[in-house]
Amino acid sequence: MSKISIIGAGQVGAATAVRLVDMELVDEVVLFDVVDDMPQGKALDIAQSTPVVQKQVAIRGTNAYKDIADSDIVVVTAGFPRKPGMDRLDLLAKNIEINKSVSANIVTYAPRTIVLYVANPLDLMTYVCHKLTKFPAQRVFGMAGVLDTTRFRTFVAMETGYTIRDVQAQVMGGHGDAMVPLVRYCSVAGIPLTELLPKAKIDAIVDRTQKGGGEIVKLLKTGSAYYAPGAAVAQMCQAIVRDEKRILPVCAQLDGEYGYKGPFVGVPVVLGRKGVEKVLQLQLDAQEKALLAKSVSSLQEQLDEIEKGKMYQ
Ligand code: TXD
């Protein structure tokens, strides 16, 4: 594999590009945006870091979709932030409009690519992109769970004092509040988290993780997180490019797994060169099943709203 394009050269798009270049994962990274000259400026700036970091990667900024041709992966971070006076549906409609133009151009210029969606509302946007591109679900999926788990892992390391290297975690469900933490599957060097921390501490970490995006928004005052999201996207790209078969939480389409058919939801998958190569089915307990059901039903309500309103046709 040799080329990754990023649609949306904003904070997450640029942070992802820097990671990809530093990892020397592919030969070429393309940064696309609708804002004139901005992606060219960011790409040139990143290119000028490569002699210092000694990474041989061509990075190019563009306002022309034709430049995404032959991409192996297209990362979509193009989104519209909430403005005063906009309600949830206005924002959804605006982001679906962006999704329509992005998806149409992916179909035209990079019909064989894998699409890794990042822009919010993530689970809904990934679903819409899959409908619009008509690509197999194996090639259209979203990033959210890797970010949620890395936040969780960071908080566990902070709380226990043990190295981040040994902390493992899994989450399922929707992004943010709809996240389903799987504490039973969290461990430090194989030791279940429940043996290392009291329940109250674990509950506090879960709560902080669910509100992790908001905590950063509040601190930054303008915009939202981008370093950890960029790292999370880059890790997923690495799993694909190097065919690592990593087990990562990915927003992927369910086809009967966990009893659901159709929606895109965070689940552990095997990620490799073909994209989502398998959805893993964990043996959830009754409480985890109930949380997942709640998460999926709230997503399904929003998908029904999108379908009934013919919002992407
Ligand atoms: O875990 C996750 N999935 C997330 C998602 C983690 C972090 C950020 N998350 C979402 O990603 C966030 O809520 C937004 O929906 C996106 C992008 O976040 P970012 O912080 O990078 O937003 P910016 O800086 O506003 O960048 C968005 C860019 C900006 O440069 C616009 O000019 C561009 O998107 N944009 C477009 N690019 C291409 N095509 C179109 N139509 C377009 N419209 C806007």
Side-chain angles (χ1 to χ4, degrees), residues 7-13 32-35 38 65 77-81 98 101-102 118-120 122 143-144 147 175 224-226 229:
I7 310 291
Q11 300 281 47
V12 177
F32 170 95
D33 207 287
V34 286
V35 177
M38 181 271 276
Y65 265 112
T77 66
F80 193 82
I98 293 176
S101 108
V102 170
V118 181
N120 276 323
L122 191 266
M143 188 290 290
L147 176 62
H175 187 35
S224 52
Y226 49 97

Side-chain angles (χ1 to χ4, degrees), residues 36-309:
D36 282 344
D37 297 338
M38 181 271 276
Q40 289 87 336
K42 289 193 181 182
L44 186 59
D45 190 9
I46 297 169
Q48 289 166 355
S49 75
T50 56
V52 177
V53 295
Q54 292 282 293
K55 304 292 176 186
Q56 187 72 51
V57 179
I59 166 132
R60 196 148 51 103
T62 183
N63 303 117
Y65 265 112
K66 67 174 174 36
D67 292 330
I68 71 167
D70 300 322
S71 297
D72 300 292
I73 304 174
V74 175
V75 175
V76 185
T77 66
F80 193 82
R82 191 189 287 259
K83 293 269 165 70
M86 281 178 98
D87 66 14
R88 191 184 61 82
L89 269 181
D90 294 336
L91 186 67
L92 184 62
K94 187 84 194 157
N95 280 313
I96 287 178
E97 280 310 307
I98 293 176
N99 196 330
K100 274 185 182 170
S101 108
V102 170
S103 297
N105 281 293
I106 291 175
V107 170
T108 303
Y109 293 106
R112 279 179 299 279
T113 192
I114 282 174
V115 184
L116 175 44
Y117 224 94
V118 181
N120 276 323
L122 191 266
D123 311 274
L124 306 181
M125 286 300 124
T126 311
Y127 170 93
V128 169
C129 178
H130 172 247
K131 286 280 183 188
L132 291 170
T133 56
K134 300 189 173 68
F135 289 174
Q138 191 176 40
R139 285 204 278 135
V140 183
F141 45 90
M143 188 290 290
V146 176
L147 176 62
D148 289 329
T149 49
T150 194
R151 285 182 172 147
F152 189 92
R153 292 164 71 192
T154 307
F155 297 143
V156 168
M158 284 175 178
E159 189 59 50
T160 59
Y162 301 136
T163 169
I164 45 101
R165 290 182 205 280
D166 286 333
V167 184
Q168 289 297 336
Q170 271 297 335
V171 298
M172 285 179 70
H175 187 35
D177 290 349
M179 180 189 112
V180 178
L182 296 174
V183 173
R184 279 193 311 128
Y185 294 89
C186 299
S187 65
V188 182
I191 307 163
L193 192 56
T194 44
E195 289 184 23
L196 297 170
L197 287 174
K199 186 174 179 307
K201 285 254 157 69
I202 296 176
D203 289 348
I205 290 175
V206 166
D207 184 60
R208 192 173 175 194
T209 305
Q210 277 166 330
K211 297 175 183 151
E215 182 178 1
I216 292 188
V217 166
K218 211 166 148 199
L219 291 166
L220 291 180
K221 312 279 191 299
T222 58
S224 52
Y226 49 97
Y227 293 118
V233 172
Q235 183 187 53
M236 290 175 69
C237 289
Q238 179 174 306
I240 297 163
V241 171
R242 301 212 172 127
D243 197 22
E244 290 178 328
K245 318 284 187 203
R246 285 208 66 174
I247 297 174
L248 295 171
V250 168
C251 174
Q253 189 178 40
L254 295 185
D255 186 25
E257 295 89 354
Y258 299 96
Y260 304 101
K261 216 172 161 67
F264 280 70
V265 184
V267 279
V269 310
V270 177
L271 204 57
R273 186 170 290 263
K274 296 195 186 105
V276 170
E277 299 191 352
K278 188 179 180 188
V279 172
L280 294 187
Q281 293 217 61
L282 306 177
Q283 301 296 316
L284 301 182
D285 65 21
Q287 195 197 4
E288 291 157 351
K289 275 188 194 153
L291 284 172
L292 182 64
K294 200 169 151 221
S295 189
V296 175
S297 96
S298 107
L299 275 176
Q300 193 58 58
E301 268 173 34
Q302 297 175 70
L303 292 179
D304 291 346
E305 203 170 50
I306 289 175
E307 290 293 352
K308 275 196 210 113

